[in-house]
Amino acid sequence: MLDSNETIVAIASPTTPAMRGIVRMSGQSVVPILEAVGIKSSQAKRAQVIQSRIDLGTPLGKLDIAVSLWPTSQSYTGQPSAELHTIGSAPVLQSIVNVLTTAGARAARPGEFTMRAFLAGRLDLPQAEAVLGVIEAEQRGSLEHALNQLAGNLSRPLEQMRSEMLDLLADVEAGLDFVDEDIEFISDEALVERLSVIHAAVDKTRQSMESRGGNRSRAIVAFRGNPNAGKSHLINALVGREVAIVADVAGTTRDVVSVETTLDGHAVQWVDTAGIESRAQHDPLFEITAASQAHALRASQNADVRIWCVDACHDDLAAQRRYFETHDGSSKRSSIDIWVATKSDLIDSTQRQPDWMYTSVITGDGVDRLRDRVSQFVASHDKEEVGSIMGTAARCSGSLAHAATCIETAIRFVQQGDGHEFVASELRVAVECLGEVTGAVYTDDILDRVFGRFCIGK
Ligand SMILES: Nc1nc2c(ncn2[C@@H]2O[C@H](COP(=O)(O)OP(=O)(O)OP(=O)(O)O)[C@@H](O)[C@H]2O)c(=O)[nH]1
Ligand SMILES: [Mg+2]
């Protein structure tokens, strides 16, 4: 593991040009290193802001700098720390880092500041991962998840389950010490009952993690548009095989038809829907149409990508688009719409309009481009899910599943009247698995996996 006694330094602000930039330093030698570069702190042991200057040599010269100093363990990392605030220019910030490394600091590795916060007991592992989630959150939903996790919403119940398991284990092990004396610390019925409660809680946490995306990153792509616009043909062309029935008559597709494929390594579910139409109540097809429209609308609202198909020969594409936009109800927060003019082989290329992607299943025009566009979205959709707190789910669902299995086995042992030493050994493993999730038990490998995903300076 990396040595926590060394003093580390890194640029902590984005390296794109900005008004202000920050260099962060943490470790036992923060105060002497600052002094070595001419930044004097008051001797007081409290947090302080120092207005000073730092000499960056030629050609940069001396620069005004504001230093926030936490000279004791009362800081984010649990050790003396400082932040040097100055103008947000990458070369200037890099020169400051160079001056500080010459004075004895070492360049920080990715996530090393947050790892120190974890090692100092300031954060547990799910909270450390939530820090990454907050940094990466591009959308409100993921930011809320990350902030909840940072507030301990995941760790608290897990810690509670673990502590209940430890109590049970203590009872079982105490019983083992007194087997000959007929003292019972916990009855078999009570043991099974309490284990069942914990098992249900562990399983629920595992499921909720997985539904948040640990194993789910399938993007749903729905095809919408007018009857006979060529939706089913287009789906077949994109997927490369006949999944949807196609025909010359409008109203061929009635059911929601879906197929799963992988697109550049990402799972995609393609969903064909009935063309958008309405029928008068006395029409014999009224009911079947209403049902297929309702199915199609639901598919559309669940989709991550909606591909809107309008026949390129349509005389007013913009009006058709406005109509769909106002008549299709709400959609998922992070979804996108792609507007496709189909059957481009039937029009002259000079008639093409901006903001529309043109496709033809006869000439193959635009099909690859549309597939690439979907692929691009799906890749970023996956990244967002995995990059934020999905990391926690990916890391932990195995440990939680293992804990659940051990508890099940322990229950079976009790019910079969097997010796409590077997029960105790299952419980011990389960406690360890739960500890791995919160970081109460950790290995270098776990730390590498968690903090290696951070950027340097965090
Ligand atoms: N010229 C030309 N005709 C096409 C193209 N794509 C589809 N068509 C024709 O358009 C008609 C309808 O195609 P479908 O794919 O069944 O259309 P749909 O949108 O699924 O229709 P519904 O399921 O009835 O809503 C068929 O006659 C196709 O041959 C294309 O790119 N060029
Ligand atoms: Mg169809």
Side-chain angles (χ1 to χ4, degrees):
M1 206 184 335
L2 300 173
D3 187 352
S4 292
N5 291 319
E6 290 175 329
T7 297
I8 52 173
V9 65
I11 299 174
S13 48
T15 44
T16 44
M19 285 287 284
R20 309 292 292 165
I22 301 172
V23 170
R24 180 183 282 171
M25 189 160 54
S26 172
Q28 296 311 325
S29 309
V30 160
V31 173
I33 288 174
L34 287 177
E35 276 178 8
V37 300
I39 300 170
K40 295 249 173 315
S41 56
S42 81
Q43 291 307 306
K45 290 283 171 215
R46 58 180 160 70
Q48 50 197 279
V49 176
I50 308 156
Q51 300 295 340
S52 185
R53 308 194 77 182
I54 187 166
D55 189 351
L56 300 178
T58 40
L60 291 166
K62 286 192 173 174
L63 185 73
D64 284 332
I65 196 159
V67 181
S68 302
L69 174 67
W70 295 266
T72 67
S73 61
Q74 285 175 351
S75 73
Y76 176 63
T77 55
Q79 46 184 210
S81 300
E83 279 181 10
L84 290 74
H85 293 243
T86 181
I87 53 171
S89 138
V92 167
L93 296 170
Q94 192 53 53
S95 301
I96 294 176
V97 169
N98 295 347
V99 166
L100 293 171
T101 47
T102 307
R106 155 170 83 69
R109 309 263 160 73
E112 207 173 353
F113 291 95
T114 310
M115 177 155 82
R116 289 188 176 191
F118 164 74
L119 292 172
R122 289 265 183 271
L123 304 166
D124 59 28
L125 278 191
Q127 287 174 321
E129 285 166 318
V131 170
L132 179 64
V134 171
I135 296 165
E136 289 189 343
E138 285 171 11
Q139 308 211 352
R140 230 187 128 56
S142 27
L143 181 61
E144 274 164 24
H145 269 320
L147 289 173
N148 283 338
Q149 187 162 318
L150 196 52
N153 285 9
L154 175 64
S155 318
R156 234 177 282 118
L158 281 171
E159 256 318 309
Q160 199 186 339
M161 288 173 219
R162 185 166 171 273
S163 119
E164 279 169 25
M165 290 279 292
L166 280 170
D167 288 347
L168 276 183
L169 184 59
D171 283 345
V172 173
E173 288 187 332
L176 288 177
D177 292 340
F178 291 91
V179 268
D180 300 333
E181 292 165 50
D182 222 14
I183 303 175
E184 195 178 58
F185 284 82
I186 180 163
S187 71
D188 281 0
E189 293 77 49
L191 187 53
V192 167
E193 195 183 308
R194 285 169 65 187
L195 282 175
S196 303
V197 172
I198 300 175
H199 179 267
V202 169
D203 214 42
K204 196 170 146 213
T205 309
R206 184 183 61 80
Q207 280 173 15
S208 83
M209 266 190 182
E210 284 182 2
S211 70
R212 271 206 257 155
N215 292 334
R216 188 220 92 104
S217 48
R218 183 168 43 94
I220 302 176
V221 181
F223 288 72
R224 298 282 281 151
N226 297 320
N228 228 24
K231 302 178 292 300
S232 300
H233 271 90
L234 189 54
I235 237 181
N236 290 348
L238 286 165
V239 173
R241 59 191 148 101
E242 297 264 313
V243 293
I245 300 173
V246 293
D248 294 346
V249 286
T252 304
T253 306
R254 290 291 179 186
D255 268 343
V256 169
V257 177
S258 86
V259 61
E260 266 196 63
T261 67
T262 50
L263 188 56
D264 300 331
H266 303 281
V268 177
Q269 185 180 1
W270 307 87
V271 182
D272 192 12
T273 66
I276 297 173
E277 61 175 328
S278 59
R279 282 177 194 264
Q281 214 152 358
H282 53 76
D283 189 316
L285 290 177
F286 173 75
E287 283 197 6
I288 186 175
T289 306
S292 62
Q293 293 300 309
H295 283 305
L297 186 60
R298 209 163 324 119
S300 178
Q301 290 171 346
N302 278 331
D304 299 296
V305 178
R306 271 175 307 275
I307 297 186
W308 291 93
C309 299
V310 181
D311 194 317
C313 303
H314 193 285
D315 53 15
D316 195 344
L317 289 178
Q320 186 62 61
R321 175 171 173 166
R322 276 196 303 280
Y323 176 83
F324 286 146
E325 281 173 339
T326 46
H327 286 81
D328 203 59
S330 61
S331 54
K332 264 170 60 173
R333 192 177 14 87
S334 55
S335 63
I336 60 161
D337 292 297
I338 300 175
W339 296 89
V340 173
T342 55
K343 313 186 190 180
S344 67
D345 52 287
L346 298 180
I347 61 158
D348 196 274
S349 60
T350 54
Q351 290 170 273
R352 296 192 176 203
Q353 299 186 19
D355 300 336
W356 287 79
M357 289 185 89
Y358 283 78
T359 63
S360 163
V361 298
I362 292 183
T363 63
D365 174 39
V367 174
D368 287 342
R369 210 173 327 126
L370 178 57
R371 196 186 297 107
D372 287 347
R373 176 73 191 87
V374 173
S375 169
Q376 201 186 12
F377 172 83
V378 173
S380 65
H381 167 90
D382 255 11
K383 194 166 112 249
E384 177 211 328
E385 298 257 329
V386 172
S388 59
I389 41 194
M390 287 345 307
T392 310
R395 179 176 66 78
C396 300
S397 59
S399 299
L400 287 175
H402 193 182
T405 313
C406 291
I407 299 172
E408 279 161 32
T409 312
I411 292 175
R412 207 172 53 245
F413 283 160
V414 178
Q415 286 167 336
Q416 291 169 356
D418 289 332
H420 276 198
E421 60 273 25
F422 297 116
V423 178
S425 106
E426 291 298 321
L427 295 188
R428 243 176 265 126
V429 179
V431 165
E432 208 161 287
C433 291
L434 293 182
E436 278 172 7
V437 177
T438 58
V441 183
Y442 60 84
T443 60
D444 286 1
D445 174 50
I446 293 180
L447 295 188
D448 279 352
R449 270 197 291 161
V450 171
F451 294 102
R453 297 188 299 122
F454 278 65
C455 46
I456 292 173
K458 294 293 182 292

PDB file of all heavy atoms in Angstrom, residues 231-232 245 252-253 272-273, ligand 2:
ATOM      1  N   LYS A 231     -40.487   1.808 -40.041  1.00  0.00           N
ATOM      2  CA  LYS A 231     -39.840   1.538 -38.739  1.00  0.00           C
ATOM      3  C   LYS A 231     -39.312   0.105 -38.678  1.00  0.00           C
ATOM      4  O   LYS A 231     -38.174  -0.136 -38.280  1.00  0.00           O
ATOM      5  CB  LYS A 231     -40.850   1.760 -37.587  1.00  0.00           C
ATOM      6  CG  LYS A 231     -41.437   3.161 -37.542  1.00  0.00           C
ATOM      7  CD  LYS A 231     -42.441   3.319 -36.439  1.00  0.00           C
ATOM      8  CE  LYS A 231     -43.731   2.530 -36.636  1.00  0.00           C
ATOM      9  NZ  LYS A 231     -44.489   2.875 -37.863  1.00  0.00           N
ATOM     10  N   SER A 232     -40.184  -0.849 -39.045  1.00  0.00           N
ATOM     11  CA  SER A 232     -39.790  -2.256 -38.905  1.00  0.00           C
ATOM     12  C   SER A 232     -38.651  -2.611 -39.862  1.00  0.00           C
ATOM     13  O   SER A 232     -37.707  -3.312 -39.486  1.00  0.00           O
ATOM     14  CB  SER A 232     -40.998  -3.166 -39.148  1.00  0.00           C
ATOM     15  OG  SER A 232     -42.010  -2.869 -38.211  1.00  0.00           O
ATOM     16  N   ILE A 245     -41.869  -7.983 -38.330  1.00  0.00           N
ATOM     17  CA  ILE A 245     -42.606  -8.271 -39.565  1.00  0.00           C
ATOM     18  C   ILE A 245     -42.772  -6.979 -40.352  1.00  0.00           C
ATOM     19  O   ILE A 245     -43.084  -5.920 -39.783  1.00  0.00           O
ATOM     20  CB  ILE A 245     -44.015  -8.820 -39.240  1.00  0.00           C
ATOM     21  CG1 ILE A 245     -43.877 -10.108 -38.421  1.00  0.00           C
ATOM     22  CG2 ILE A 245     -44.813  -9.063 -40.514  1.00  0.00           C
ATOM     23  CD1 ILE A 245     -45.203 -10.633 -37.921  1.00  0.00           C
ATOM     24  N   THR A 252     -49.080  -2.748 -39.888  1.00  0.00           N
ATOM     25  CA  THR A 252     -48.561  -4.117 -39.810  1.00  0.00           C
ATOM     26  C   THR A 252     -48.164  -4.472 -38.375  1.00  0.00           C
ATOM     27  O   THR A 252     -48.490  -5.536 -37.867  1.00  0.00           O
ATOM     28  CB  THR A 252     -47.322  -4.273 -40.713  1.00  0.00           C
ATOM     29  OG1 THR A 252     -47.691  -3.893 -42.028  1.00  0.00           O
ATOM     30  CG2 THR A 252     -46.809  -5.698 -40.709  1.00  0.00           C
ATOM     31  N   THR A 253     -47.447  -3.557 -37.729  1.00  0.00           N
ATOM     32  CA  THR A 253     -46.984  -3.832 -36.373  1.00  0.00           C
ATOM     33  C   THR A 253     -48.075  -3.430 -35.386  1.00  0.00           C
ATOM     34  O   THR A 253     -48.551  -2.293 -35.403  1.00  0.00           O
ATOM     35  CB  THR A 253     -45.687  -3.051 -36.075  1.00  0.00           C
ATOM     36  OG1 THR A 253     -44.743  -3.360 -37.086  1.00  0.00           O
ATOM     37  CG2 THR A 253     -45.133  -3.416 -34.717  1.00  0.00           C
ATOM     38  N   ASP A 272     -39.638  -2.279 -31.422  1.00  0.00           N
ATOM     39  CA  ASP A 272     -40.486  -1.807 -32.516  1.00  0.00           C
ATOM     40  C   ASP A 272     -41.880  -1.539 -31.953  1.00  0.00           C
ATOM     41  O   ASP A 272     -42.331  -2.254 -31.058  1.00  0.00           O
ATOM     42  CB  ASP A 272     -40.567  -2.899 -33.596  1.00  0.00           C
ATOM     43  CG  ASP A 272     -41.179  -2.380 -34.898  1.00  0.00           C
ATOM     44  OD1 ASP A 272     -41.321  -1.144 -35.038  1.00  0.00           O
ATOM     45  OD2 ASP A 272     -41.511  -3.213 -35.761  1.00  0.00           O
ATOM     46  N   THR A 273     -42.534  -0.513 -32.435  1.00  0.00           N
ATOM     47  CA  THR A 273     -43.871  -0.209 -31.907  1.00  0.00           C
ATOM     48  C   THR A 273     -44.829   0.030 -33.068  1.00  0.00           C
ATOM     49  O   THR A 273     -44.408   0.224 -34.211  1.00  0.00           O
ATOM     50  CB  THR A 273     -43.859   1.074 -31.039  1.00  0.00           C
ATOM     51  OG1 THR A 273     -43.558   2.186 -31.900  1.00  0.00           O
ATOM     52  CG2 THR A 273     -42.850   0.997 -29.925  1.00  0.00           C
TER      53      THR A 273
HETATM   54 MG    MG B   2     -43.947  -2.100 -38.462  1.00  0.00          MG
END
